[in-house]
Amino acid sequence: MFHKCMNRAVDEFVETIDAVVKNEELESKRIDIFYKLVIAIHFLIDSYDRLPNKPGWKDESPFVSAFKYVNNQLKHDVDLDLFYITICNGGMFPMRFPMHYGKPSISWANFQDNSDEKSKFRRPHYDNELMNKDVKSTILDFQRIIENLSKESIL
């Protein structure tokens, strides 16, 4: 049941992002995107932590560690600015560089570290694995990691 809830949270987050096709829609959807992103992150981390065959914290991948860092930041910073939006430049003036065409994109932000001392070692993992990368694709990558580990535990 919990695994299905994780998939639903990720699906709803992806649907919310995919529904934004115009720059003008971004600000009105920002709260929805943040809300669904936080729910997806919590379900992903909780699902990962429930896997019987997951690596120990010393052996976990930097990618997983980066998500654990984000989850920890959400617990310690109620004003966390978790992502930034890159608007499309096609046909917009003034022009912005570098140019970005297509749909607006949402990327992980460079936010201030407000974690406790025992979590600060994860910040470099966040910087290398998530920061400035596409939020949707990294969320889907983490979901696939959990799906694969979940299949392995059944075998």
Side-chain angles (χ1 to χ4, degrees):
M1 180 70 103
F2 201 87
H3 195 73
K4 289 180 181 179
C5 290
M6 175 199 71
N7 288 333
R8 180 176 175 181
V10 170
D11 290 347
E12 288 180 2
F13 169 68
V14 168
E15 288 169 9
T16 302
I17 287 182
D18 287 347
V20 177
V21 293
K22 297 178 182 171
N23 293 332
E24 301 81 38
E25 299 171 340
L26 289 171
E27 283 310 311
S28 66
K29 299 282 185 187
R30 189 176 194 88
I31 297 291
D32 288 341
I33 292 167
F34 183 81
Y35 172 74
K36 292 191 176 160
L37 175 59
V38 169
I39 291 170
I41 290 168
H42 287 320
F43 268 110
L44 286 163
I45 292 296
D46 287 348
S47 295
Y48 179 83
D49 285 342
R50 284 175 166 72
L51 292 170
N53 62 330
K54 71 181 181 302
W57 71 270
K58 288 184 179 180
D59 298 321
E60 72 190 10
S61 75
F63 186 76
V64 171
S65 181
F67 271 98
K68 286 189 172 187
Y69 175 77
V70 169
N71 190 51
N72 187 274
Q73 287 292 298
L74 288 166
K75 294 174 186 176
H76 292 279
D77 188 351
V78 295
D79 296 319
L80 185 65
D81 198 5
L82 194 55
F83 61 87
Y84 65 91
I85 298 169
T86 304
I87 62 169
C88 303
N89 287 14
M92 289 185 61
F93 294 95
M95 301 290 267
R96 294 186 179 99
F97 296 95
M99 300 296 281
H100 177 79
Y101 293 96
K103 291 173 62 173
S105 66
I106 298 162
S107 302
W108 295 101
N110 181 10
F111 50 80
Q112 180 180 350
D113 185 339
N114 292 311
S115 64
D116 53 10
E117 283 302 314
K118 64 183 181 180
S119 297
K120 289 193 182 291
F121 77 94
R122 295 185 192 272
R123 179 59 193 229
H125 296 179
Y126 174 81
D127 293 348
N128 294 328
E129 301 292 329
L130 296 180
M131 191 167 57
N132 297 322
K133 294 189 175 144
D134 182 67
V135 173
K136 177 181 160 184
S137 64
T138 55
I139 288 283
L140 292 171
D141 287 345
F142 192 26
Q143 182 185 31
R144 276 189 288 278
I145 289 169
I146 294 168
E147 295 284 343
N148 291 337
L149 286 170
S150 181
K151 288 176 188 172
E152 289 175 15
S153 69
I154 294 172
L155 299 177

